[in-house]
Amino acid sequence: MTKAPIPAVLFLAGLLAASPAPAQDLEWQSYKGYDVPFVPTPYEVVEEMLRLVDIKPGDVLYDLGCGDGRIVITAAKTYGIKAVGIDIDPVRIKESNENAAAAGLAGKVRFIQQDLFEADFKDASVITMYLLTSVNMRLRPKLLEDLRPGTRLVSHSFGMGEWRPDKTSAVETPYGDERDVYFWVIPANVTGRWDWDLTMGSRTAHYVLEADQEFQAVTATVREGDWPVSVSEVRLSGDEISFRIDAESDGKMVSWLYAGKVAGHRIRGAARPAGDAKAAPVTWTATRNPMTIVAIAK
Ligand SMILES: C[S@@+](CC[C@H](N)C(=O)[O-])C[C@H]1O[C@@H](n2cnc3c(N)ncnc32)[C@H](O)[C@@H]1O
């Protein structure tokens, strides 16, 4: 168990002062020195969090610091997915289990009493959080390291510092205030040097792509042999990467659109000439020199 630093407490207190909620919602007495006090997410915000993560059959959701279990229970009840709540406070776990039983979900959801910093939630495909920016920041390395690329993350009110969200929305609550909801996708790490060959018409070119990355933002340079090649529209979402390369093919300059899935030190996908819907895509496999990978959180 980690003691919350005073400024974090004051920060949440400030937020709550700016966003009044009924007195019975605020259980300051039960703060007990945990990282975050228990303050439930209004149901309107729960709905928006679940809408943003776009729940699909087979998803496994974890609410980190689950409070009274409302996010877990709503997800399981509305979408029929597996959902797990983790909370350090045994009172919250008891309450969550009682609420799940009342909702007819006993045995269909799980609540674990544990410090979220020590918990194993590697099998999650969706993570929900209502913590504090300072706690999110401490949790960030674990989220980036433990979760599979493509895992969706949503946080009520609090961001992740310089890891900018992929989407943001705002919800009005019955308390007359507006809450921000932040959404991220865990990015694959595509840093380093990637090599591949591509046959275009009568010739085969050898390409080298060097990628730099900060969280989900990727910049790349490409060369063919010793010649720099124009690369643009580099996009990464989870384990899916795409970009455009301009290449000379049979005496003409042609833009090639690449799209592929990253798995470890390999990207497999297809490339096709832009603007030629009839052209058959060419299979494309790139491999990375494992020595060139670097961290994506500076
Ligand atoms: C702001 S409440 C959010 C409750 C719920 N997720 C919701 O949105 O309604 C934060 C919860 O995190 C729990 N918590 C605080 N520190 C924790 C820790 N280190 N590990 C697990 N849970 C923690 C608190 O007990 C509290 O229930």
Side-chain angles (χ1 to χ4, degrees):
M1 184 182 81
T2 325
K3 244 191 166 2
I6 296 296
V9 182
L10 294 177
F11 184 38
L12 186 64
L15 174 94
L16 293 168
S19 313
Q24 67 269 23
D25 277 354
L26 308 178
E27 299 201 7
W28 290 102
Q29 309 86 320
S30 61
Y31 182 37
K32 300 171 190 164
Y34 300 145
D35 288 300
V36 192
F38 171 54
V39 182
T41 295
Y43 278 102
E44 296 72 15
V45 182
V46 172
E47 256 176 50
E48 179 62 5
M49 291 168 85
L50 297 178
R51 189 193 68 77
L52 267 184
V53 293
D54 189 19
I55 303 239
K56 297 176 184 69
D59 269 330
V60 178
L61 176 147
Y62 279 73
D63 185 27
L64 305 183
C66 65
D68 62 6
R70 61 180 59 198
I71 296 180
V72 168
I73 291 168
T74 307
K77 213 170 167 123
T78 313
Y79 299 96
I81 58 160
K82 277 196 204 161
V84 184
I86 297 174
D87 206 290
I88 200 163
D89 187 344
V91 175
R92 302 277 81 88
I93 295 298
K94 183 170 176 289
E95 193 179 6
S96 291
N97 279 318
E98 286 165 2
N99 290 340
L105 289 168
K108 297 201 174 119
V109 289
R110 276 198 307 141
F111 294 101
I112 303 167
Q113 191 216 326
Q114 199 176 14
D115 185 335
L116 60 90
F117 287 97
E118 283 156 21
D120 177 356
F121 42 80
K122 289 194 181 79
D123 62 325
S125 56
V126 173
I127 296 278
T128 59
M129 301 177 298
Y130 181 28
L131 301 167
L132 286 163
T133 305
S134 58
V135 179
N136 288 354
M137 293 296 281
R138 274 165 50 216
L139 194 58
R140 205 173 72 178
K142 182 171 166 70
L143 297 171
L144 286 165
E145 214 170 289
D146 287 3
L147 295 170
R148 282 168 300 192
T151 304
R152 290 104 71 209
L153 227 68
V154 71
S155 170
H156 170 189
S157 280
F158 298 100
M160 294 266 193
E162 67 281 24
W163 183 10
R164 61 168 179 77
D166 294 298
K167 280 186 210 161
T168 304
S169 75
V171 191
E172 270 188 39
T173 75
Y175 312 129
D177 67 326
E178 208 176 65
R179 306 287 175 92
D180 289 325
V181 182
Y182 302 108
F183 169 84
W184 299 261
V185 178
I186 297 286
N189 181 331
V190 296
T191 59
R193 176 193 160 128
W194 298 85
D195 284 74
W196 73 93
D197 291 324
L198 194 80
T199 302
M200 294 165 289
S202 56
R203 76 183 187 97
T204 297
H206 180 78
Y207 288 108
V208 176
L209 179 149
E210 311 237 23
D212 217 349
Q213 180 177 352
E214 198 167 353
F215 304 104
Q216 70 276 59
V218 178
T219 50
T221 57
V222 178
R223 54 181 206 274
E224 184 190 336
D226 290 335
W227 293 94
V229 169
S230 158
V231 55
S232 58
E233 299 170 29
V234 184
R235 292 197 185 99
L236 177 70
S237 176
D239 61 358
E240 288 176 15
I241 189 163
S242 60
F243 52 87
R244 177 191 281 259
I245 285 182
D246 292 335
E248 186 266 316
S249 169
D250 290 337
K252 287 183 296 195
M253 279 310 280
V254 176
S255 258
W256 282 75
L257 303 176
Y258 284 75
K261 247 184 193 309
V262 186
H265 297 300
R266 209 169 279 272
I267 303 174
R268 283 203 173 89
R272 62 176 177 83
D276 185 354
K278 281 194 220 126
V282 181
T283 304
W284 159 60
T285 303
T287 49
R288 170 168 51 195
N289 175 346
M291 305 294 285
T292 60
I293 188 169
V294 294
I296 62 170
K298 312 286 186 267

